[in-house]
Amino acid sequence: MPRISPASSEAGRLLAPLVPSLFVVIWATGFVAARFVAPFAEPLTFVAIRVTGVALVLASLALVMRAPWPQGRAGWRDALVAGVLMQGFYVAGVFWSVHRGLPAGIAALVGSLQPLLTAMLARPILGEYVSRRRWLGIGAGFVGAALVLAPKVGAADASGIPPVALGACLGAMAAMTLGTLWQKRTGAGANLVTNAAVQFVGAALLTIPMALAFEAGRIENVPSFWLGLSWSILVNSVAGILLLLWLIRRGAVAGVASLLFLVPPVSAAMAFALFGETLSPVQFAGMAVAAAGVAVASRAEAGRPKV
């Protein structure tokens, strides 16, 4: 096993606080990518190509690194289940909802509701302690999300939120929550690279049949499609999932999930700059309330086992 020099250890310690911020920016680009590629490919087809590409990249990286693969049927099963939920149902649901007219910033906001479900389930499933202050922060995030969503659900104007697309995005968020909890419970000793590779194999096993069953496989051979696909594979997926798994391993689930409250304003800013998507003053206020919830939740004690 290679030795880690003191200088490398110190550099890692100094860079560790920057990882959450980097994760938020990378994760936010996923919702923008969904909006960016919507005119050039059907959503399930794009996701099937994307997750297959990510699986190949990660598997190649694992072979170069000689990283250990899961041991036994249970190890493979656990990684595949996490992948079906976190990279299959979640990503497919987000891309499908954005393709059906859900604004990228709103899709990101729905994804940020994950901490509410995570905190509710982390205690009974994992035995994690969730303090009152953290509940207060999560509650503030929920109120902020309601301020953004409630006035626009079903509205007939251009800023309206299609109910079916919103429902699909909510289902995707629930799948991500269950996948995060499953990963935390079963993936503590797994190698990050090989575990992620197997996860994307699981996602491919889900999304390829879905794309074949429900879509015609339409993609447009234009530079914008290939740019969006390359970014989605190499940055949003490969870099993003490795950062997410690293954060899940190092922190309490509820604390890691609370980072997602920061994704909506970042995604909304990107969507405004790239596509001209706008939000009303009330919706911006809702995002501010959600971000304030992060400030409260991130300072609260979490992860202490129930005794």
Side-chain angles (χ1 to χ4, degrees):
M1 181 176 180
R3 297 179 59 186
I4 300 176
S5 68
S8 298
S9 179
E10 179 66 14
R13 186 184 67 82
L14 294 175
L15 292 175
L18 301 178
V19 172
S21 297
L22 180 61
F23 167 75
V24 168
V25 173
I26 288 177
W27 206 254
T29 65
F31 302 95
V32 176
R35 172 69 171 81
F36 183 78
V37 302
F40 311 114
E42 292 177 290
L44 298 179
T45 299
F46 180 86
V47 172
I49 296 172
R50 166 181 165 168
V51 298
T52 301
V54 176
L56 292 173
V57 171
L58 289 175
S60 300
L61 181 61
L63 291 175
V64 170
M65 297 173 60
R66 298 183 179 179
W69 291 87
Q71 297 297 313
R73 292 182 179 180
W76 285 86
R77 177 205 63 202
D78 292 342
L80 288 170
V81 170
V84 166
L85 293 169
M86 297 173 67
Q87 306 304 330
F89 281 115
Y90 175 70
V91 176
V94 169
F95 272 73
W96 189 91
S97 62
V98 172
H99 192 268
R100 291 301 188 278
L102 192 68
I106 300 300
L109 181 69
V110 172
S112 76
L113 295 178
Q114 180 195 331
L116 181 63
L117 281 179
T118 301
M120 291 172 62
L121 298 176
R123 186 164 186 170
I125 293 178
L126 302 179
E128 288 191 0
Y129 172 79
V130 182
S131 68
R132 290 183 179 180
R133 175 175 289 185
R134 186 173 294 278
W135 276 112
L136 177 62
I138 290 171
F142 181 80
V143 170
L147 288 173
V148 177
L149 296 174
K152 295 296 182 179
V153 175
D157 61 14
S159 64
I161 299 174
V164 175
L166 177 60
C169 202
L170 287 168
M173 178 268 296
M176 184 65 175
T177 299
L178 294 175
T180 300
L181 290 167
W182 181 267
Q183 171 67 24
K184 179 66 174 180
R185 184 175 182 177
T186 65
N191 178 271
L192 289 179
V193 177
T194 55
N195 189 56
V198 177
Q199 283 190 19
F200 278 94
V201 170
L205 292 175
L206 172 73
T207 56
I208 291 174
M210 289 176 62
L212 292 174
F214 299 110
E215 295 181 348
R218 181 188 64 84
I219 61 172
E220 295 185 19
N221 187 19
V222 295
S224 294
F225 167 79
W226 294 109
L227 174 62
L229 181 64
S230 299
W231 180 272
S232 293
I233 290 175
L234 298 176
V235 180
N236 186 242
S237 292
V238 174
I241 192 59
L242 291 179
L243 288 176
L244 175 61
L245 295 177
W246 186 85
L247 288 167
I248 290 173
R249 178 171 293 183
R250 292 180 63 91
V253 167
V256 171
S258 67
L259 287 172
L260 298 182
F261 277 145
L262 295 173
V263 172
V266 176
S267 293
M270 293 178 180
F272 173 76
L274 293 173
F275 315 118
E277 288 187 4
T278 59
L279 298 175
S280 69
V282 172
Q283 289 176 304
F284 274 116
M287 284 194 174
V289 172
V294 177
V296 175
S298 62
R299 295 179 182 178
E301 179 184 7
R304 180 162 56 87
K306 182 181 178 180
V307 296

